Amino acid sequence: MELVWSTVYEVLRLNPPVPLQFGRAREDFELSSRGARYPVKKGELLCGYQPIVMRDPTVFDRADEFVADRFIGEEGKRLLNYLFWSNGPETGTPSVQNKQCAAKDHVVATACFMLAEIFRRYDDYECGDGMDFTKLEKATATTATVSAAAAPGGVK
């Protein structure tokens, strides 16, 4: 399942469900990046554009490529700190103070279940350049039985 979770994180990295995030500064602070520092005053409106942030080559190797196993292992777990599609780092916990998406874990889990269901239901599939399937071949009865037998509890 680790590869399925990593694949879902990679899809969300390349296609963030919430591309723009806005917020007002609660206090004066200095926003720093690798190349510059920006003073931000209390009350100023900030905007983050996730499709650019999630493709930062200083954070992600091969940043514009889909790499299914990017979030596996210790390095992969470290990279989860840079996934901000839920209005905070993926490793963060939603709270009233940080306004992080309360359903962020449910979104990822639901996507994993959907992906697992596609693998269970179809023997072969192909995806086009967009978000569409160009080919789906239903699983044969033999394949479905073998998959069910391999599942916890087996076939009844």
Side-chain angles (χ1 to χ4, degrees):
M1 278 298 284
E2 190 175 21
L3 181 58
V4 173
W5 284 85
S6 179
T7 300
V8 168
Y9 285 134
E10 183 70 347
V11 168
L12 292 171
R13 181 187 76 82
L14 291 172
N15 302 292
V18 182
L20 290 169
Q21 294 177 329
F22 296 92
R24 290 214 177 264
R26 295 180 184 172
E27 58 188 36
D28 293 353
F29 69 95
E30 189 171 85
L31 180 65
S32 60
S33 69
R34 288 174 174 67
R37 294 174 185 249
Y38 306 94
V40 177
K41 299 293 181 192
K42 180 179 179 177
E44 287 186 333
L45 183 64
L46 301 170
C47 174
Y49 186 60
Q50 294 302 317
I52 290 176
V53 173
M54 295 296 123
R55 294 169 189 246
D56 184 349
T58 61
V59 174
F60 301 103
D61 290 335
R62 299 172 20 217
D64 288 326
E65 293 179 36
F66 179 85
V67 180
D69 61 352
R70 185 182 304 273
F71 297 100
I72 291 179
E74 289 305 313
E75 175 62 16
K77 288 181 181 23
R78 186 189 66 75
L79 288 174
L80 290 176
N81 290 310
Y82 296 97
L83 293 184
F84 278 86
W85 65 268
S86 64
N87 205 34
E90 182 58 29
T91 55
T93 302
S95 72
V96 174
Q97 287 76 30
N98 66 20
K99 297 183 180 179
Q100 191 168 9
C101 177
K104 76 178 189 71
D105 296 329
H106 296 288
V107 170
V108 176
T110 300
C112 286
F113 294 143
M114 290 174 66
L115 187 57
E117 180 64 12
I118 289 170
F119 291 151
R120 186 191 70 77
R121 189 174 287 198
Y122 300 100
D123 281 338
D124 194 14
Y125 60 91
E126 290 178 10
C127 297
D129 290 336
M131 304 278 272
D132 58 335
F133 287 100
T134 57
K135 174 185 173 184
L136 282 174
E137 288 183 16
K138 284 193 173 194
T140 60
T142 306
T143 307
T145 303
V146 170
S147 296
V155 177
K156 298 193 182 200

